[in-house]
Amino acid sequence: MNLNKIERKTFIILLISTFFGGMITCLSSIQDIIAKKALNSFDWQLTVLTMIWPVSNFFSIWWGKILENSKNKAKYFILVAFLGRLILVFGLWVNDMMSFLFLLSAVYFFSSLLIPATNSLYQNNIRTENRGKLFGYTVSMGTMLSMFITFIAGKLLDIDESLYKQILLIAGISGCISSYVLSLIKIENTHLIKVNKLNFHELFISPVKRTFQLIRKNKDFAAFETNFSFYGLGFLMIVPVIPIYLVENLKMNYTSTFIAKGILAQVGVLLLSPLFGKMHDKKDIFHFGSIVFALLGLYPLGFFISMLMPGLLSSTIMVYMSYLVFGIAMAGVNITWTMGSISFAGKEDASMYQSVHVTITGIRGLFAPFFGYLIYKTIGIMAVFLTSLLCELIASFLSYRYYRFKLKRESGEDVDQSNIFWF
């Protein structure tokens, strides 16, 4: 790869951080199964668990405002390391679902700071032509580690269910190291215009105004967020019902569920992230999104088909195939989710764009899991999977529609952008 000195140093530290971050990635994929099996959570508690991550993201616009006005962003990685990762060592004293929810709330609250901070790192230290590619390589490495750790975790929990406490302890220590390592990267912040003293208005009111300002002035970014909202709705609404389906309907143990969620679901991410990263660097962001959202639609479709299969074995095999497809699609979605906002920032600091993006996921998180839970309780699981499929197809259609609109606009045709966001 044709990397300059700053890119090489940044990439090496990113790989080190990714190595230690494998346990956090593992935890995010197995936390719902731990909740359902080890902590005997109620269905409503599972729904709350799935809401913690997106709802925590709502705070990202305030983190983004702080980052946008900061010359030294290293200190925020240290903040995440000790308050948002090391706190998991208290998992040794987690014996019930409510304390588990409290612990994860702290973790995800600070994750809403880590995401835009890391995004700013990519924007400032890595050139446009290398961002998706390098991000793809780091994701592949992290995924490989997460797959291995997840398999071991499943085996251990099938032997002794109480070992989830030790898993939380190790995740806290390794996650702390992962975030702290990022603070060693010097961010060449070429997008900082001036540093303002953050009073109450600047910190709490201004970010909300800034969010609406970005949406109003950058129509492409607004369209991107519209399309992503449909994807997120479809993705989040099935999250609370999946552990119910795997544990109660298919009677899967820790090892088999972790193989599905933590290994098969990661194969595509592991093998295809560099390829999708290169595609992202070369393709229009909306064209790229239309492809990966359509692929992701096969994931809930596979779950729907599994419910029509005769016998637990055939249904389980279909679920495994669905997770394989999920991993392929998520290799592209992850890159779009993380790198997409930089495409619209231009010469501005991408931290705020990514914070707006992450915050909108928080807004979705306020109702999407509950919406899926409500459909599950009133109509059934099959209806949840079909509704999720519909949302992914809408996201794909709108993305391709806007891509065609951009082609016409760039060719000089007279186009009306006032009603392009909806049907």
Side-chain angles (χ1 to χ4, degrees):
M1 293 180 289
N2 183 25
L3 305 180
N4 59 35
K5 183 178 179 180
I6 293 175
E7 287 176 323
R8 283 196 300 271
K9 183 178 179 180
T10 300
F11 184 45
I12 290 171
I13 296 180
L14 282 169
L15 289 177
I16 296 172
S17 172
T18 301
F19 176 82
F20 286 101
M23 276 299 299
I24 294 294
T25 306
C26 168
L27 180 61
S28 66
S29 64
I30 67 175
Q31 62 190 25
D32 55 345
I33 303 300
I34 290 175
K36 185 64 180 175
K37 292 179 69 68
L39 298 173
N40 299 310
S41 65
F42 297 111
D43 290 347
W44 70 266
Q45 290 175 318
L46 273 177
T47 303
V48 173
L49 174 63
T50 62
M51 294 172 65
I52 289 176
W53 170 68
V55 170
S56 297
N57 287 341
F58 182 77
F59 298 97
S60 193
I61 56 170
W62 288 280
W63 288 126
K65 182 63 177 179
I66 294 173
L67 290 168
E68 193 178 41
N69 287 266
S70 177
K71 287 182 178 179
N72 177 22
K73 299 185 180 182
K75 58 187 176 184
Y76 299 107
F77 291 114
I78 297 175
L79 184 68
V80 173
F82 289 97
L83 296 183
R85 294 292 183 262
L86 195 59
I87 193 174
L88 281 171
V89 301
F90 290 103
L92 288 173
W93 292 274
V94 168
N95 295 302
D96 57 79
M97 188 59 190
M98 296 308 295
S99 57
F100 190 53
L101 289 173
F102 175 80
L103 199 62
L104 291 181
S105 295
V107 171
Y108 286 118
F109 174 76
F110 285 99
S111 289
S112 66
L113 164 60
L114 183 63
I115 294 170
T118 305
N119 197 257
S120 178
L121 187 154
Y122 273 95
Q123 181 195 25
N124 289 285
N125 284 27
I126 298 175
R127 290 169 294 174
T128 304
E129 61 269 23
N130 289 327
R131 282 177 193 150
K133 181 167 53 180
L134 295 187
F135 179 77
Y137 283 122
T138 58
V139 168
S140 288
M141 177 181 173
T143 301
M144 180 173 60
L145 291 166
S146 176
M147 290 168 63
F148 174 75
I149 295 169
T150 301
F151 179 76
I152 298 300
K155 289 294 185 182
L156 290 174
L157 290 174
D158 277 327
I159 296 171
D160 184 355
E161 200 169 52
S162 67
L163 288 174
Y164 73 86
K165 297 182 179 182
Q166 283 69 33
I167 291 174
L168 292 175
L169 170 67
I170 297 171
I173 295 173
S174 61
C176 177
I177 296 172
S178 173
S179 297
Y180 181 80
V181 165
L182 291 177
S183 70
L184 303 178
I185 301 177
K186 181 181 179 182
I187 300 179
E188 302 292 334
N189 195 352
T190 58
H191 300 85
L192 181 67
I193 300 175
K194 64 177 181 177
V195 179
N196 298 318
K197 185 176 181 181
L198 293 178
N199 53 34
F200 179 85
H201 181 274
E202 282 291 323
L203 184 57
F204 294 101
I205 306 300
S206 178
V208 178
K209 293 181 178 179
R210 181 88 165 106
T211 298
F212 287 104
Q213 181 187 52
L214 289 180
I215 294 294
R216 282 198 305 268
K217 80 171 186 177
N218 196 323
K219 300 300 182 183
D220 288 348
F221 182 57
F224 175 77
E225 292 303 330
T226 299
N227 305 341
F228 233 83
S229 292
F230 280 102
Y231 143 74
L233 176 61
F235 177 77
L236 290 173
M237 69 184 303
I238 64 173
V239 175
V241 304
I242 285 178
I244 299 172
Y245 180 56
L246 298 183
V247 175
E248 295 185 355
N249 293 56
L250 299 184
K251 311 299 181 183
M252 296 171 70
N253 60 17
Y254 283 107
T255 301
S256 57
T257 53
F258 288 6
I259 286 174
K261 291 171 59 62
I263 298 179
L264 295 178
Q266 303 290 342
V267 170
V269 178
L270 169 66
L271 299 177
L272 298 177
S273 288
L275 174 62
F276 275 108
K278 292 178 182 178
M279 288 177 59
H280 175 273
D281 291 338
K282 295 178 180 179
K283 276 187 174 292
D284 177 85
I285 188 67
F286 290 97
H287 191 197
F288 185 78
S290 69
I291 296 171
V292 296
F293 294 150
L295 276 174
L296 191 62
L298 298 177
Y299 170 56
L301 178 61
F303 271 89
F304 175 80
I305 294 173
S306 75
M307 300 195 70
L308 304 176
M309 304 289 283
L312 290 180
L313 179 60
S314 57
S315 295
T316 301
I317 292 173
M318 191 66 212
V319 165
Y320 281 162
M321 293 177 63
S322 299
Y323 272 112
L324 280 172
V325 174
F326 171 81
I328 294 172
M330 288 306 293
V333 173
N334 284 343
I335 292 169
T336 306
W337 203 100
T338 309
M339 297 285 101
S341 59
I342 299 179
S343 305
F344 306 100
K347 295 182 178 180
E348 297 181 77
D349 191 332
S351 297
M352 195 61 195
Y353 277 84
Q354 183 69 357
S355 294
V356 171
H357 173 64
V358 173
T359 296
I360 292 175
T361 69
I363 296 173
R364 290 197 300 267
L366 289 171
F367 65 88
F370 178 75
F371 182 51
Y373 175 76
L374 184 64
I375 295 176
Y376 161 62
K377 287 295 186 181
T378 56
I379 305 177
I381 292 183
M382 295 182 76
V384 181
F385 294 142
L386 285 178
T387 308
S388 173
L389 169 62
L390 178 62
C391 289
E392 301 303 340
L393 292 178
I394 292 175
S396 177
F397 168 75
L398 290 180
S399 295
Y400 187 75
R401 181 172 178 244
Y402 200 84
Y403 166 64
R404 298 294 301 173
F405 163 80
K406 283 184 65 182
L407 289 180
K408 291 180 181 179
R409 185 181 65 189
E410 291 167 3
S411 68
E413 291 187 37
D414 186 19
V415 291
D416 180 14
Q417 193 165 343
S418 61
N419 64 348
I420 193 64
F421 305 117
W422 307 96
F423 287 106

